[in-house]
Amino acid sequence: MDVNNDILSNAPLISAFSAWLIAQFLKPFISKMMGDGFNPHMFLSTGGMPSSHSATVIALTTSVGIKLGIGSIPFAVCLIFSIIVIHDAMNIRLEAGKQADVINEWSKILSDIHKDKPFKQEHLKTMLGHSFSQVFVGLLLGILVGVAVTWFVSPW
């Protein structure tokens, strides 16, 4: 069995990491373009456009598909993993963010009611999940990065 221990020639790994890095880099700039202002914390945050979760898993899946074929077991594993991650990003984490919005609003109301004594307001993170468009753009980014990096690291 030929074992390759050169991590720099691991196109699926580099594709996934590159897609995550590009998606995270783009978030504050896209936020500014959409009128929400430039927020440097978005460089490392979850949520926002594009979905770095989607970009990462799809870049991995795309690269594995190119290198090993879409009929391979590793591709099947990556595809199922991608579906689960994207479903979680769009549904479960998005709903958790909506609940955090409501809890934060109630926290503000309670702070107003208890002005005479301290009330500690713990803000929950509300940008946990992704909309369909955020996931779709992350998916496209993942495919592009997966193809480009795989071609660059080890051309077909």
Side-chain angles (χ1 to χ4, degrees):
M1 179 189 331
D2 182 29
V3 177
N4 183 355
N5 288 322
D6 181 15
I7 198 163
L8 297 178
S9 66
N10 188 329
L13 179 63
I14 295 170
S15 295
F17 183 72
S18 297
W20 175 82
L21 200 61
I22 292 167
Q24 288 301 127
F25 176 79
L26 291 174
K27 285 182 183 193
F29 298 103
I30 292 174
S31 177
K32 182 170 175 59
M33 288 184 339
M34 296 176 89
D36 294 329
F38 184 85
N39 181 355
H41 296 292
M42 291 187 76
F43 281 124
L44 296 175
S45 73
T46 58
M49 173 72 87
S51 165
S52 56
H53 289 83
S54 300
T56 302
V57 295
I58 293 299
L60 174 68
T61 302
T62 300
S63 186
V64 167
I66 291 169
K67 296 299 291 175
L68 302 177
I70 59 172
S72 69
I73 292 173
F75 177 79
V77 171
C78 288
L79 183 62
I80 296 302
F81 172 67
S82 295
I83 291 168
I84 292 168
V85 168
I86 290 170
H87 177 268
D88 179 67
M90 276 182 37
N91 295 301
I92 297 166
R93 290 175 51 241
L94 185 60
E95 290 304 316
K98 289 177 186 177
Q99 290 175 6
D101 275 335
V102 172
I103 293 169
N104 283 336
E105 187 60 36
W106 275 100
S107 182
K108 290 175 189 173
I109 292 168
L110 287 172
S111 290
D112 290 342
I113 292 171
H114 296 284
K115 284 183 182 180
D116 55 330
K117 53 181 160 172
F119 177 79
K120 297 198 178 197
Q121 185 175 355
E122 302 263 337
H123 281 287
L124 296 174
K125 185 166 177 158
T126 58
M127 196 185 324
L128 297 171
H130 295 284
S131 66
F132 174 79
S133 61
Q134 292 169 338
V135 167
F136 185 73
V137 172
L139 188 137
L140 292 177
L141 177 63
I143 291 171
L144 291 172
V145 171
V147 169
V149 169
T150 302
W151 175 257
F152 181 75
V153 171
S154 55
W156 299 298

